Amino acid sequence: MRIVVDLNRCQGYAQCVFLAPRVFELHGEEALMYLPEVPADQRDRVRRAVAACPVQAITAGGPTGAGH
């Protein structure tokens, strides 16, 4: 699974950080860092983070582009 975060859309609510802290990390108040390639054991957490993002800034997909 691969993810992309629209950093222009991200407002720093950090729901992703709480749900998948091994993938998303907040530096300071607004600088989001993340792993574009999601480890297999983190995929369910990332799916929850995608769904929980209040501004829908995270897009997730697999090799076929599935999953969102």
Side-chain angles (χ1 to χ4, degrees):
M1 172 187 283
R2 185 163 179 78
I3 57 172
V4 175
V5 178
D6 182 341
L7 297 175
N8 291 317
R9 184 179 279 193
C10 177
Q11 297 295 308
Y13 291 110
Q15 295 302 309
C16 57
V17 177
F18 294 121
L19 292 167
R22 288 184 50 206
V23 176
F24 301 95
E25 188 175 342
L26 201 59
H27 288 266
E29 292 183 24
E30 295 182 13
L32 181 70
M33 305 283 291
Y34 66 96
L35 298 175
E37 293 292 334
V38 178
D41 67 335
Q42 296 296 301
R43 290 180 183 162
D44 287 337
R45 288 179 168 270
V46 168
R47 285 186 189 100
R48 284 188 226 118
V50 170
C53 181
V55 295
Q56 300 176 341
I58 309 167
T59 304
T64 61
H68 192 70

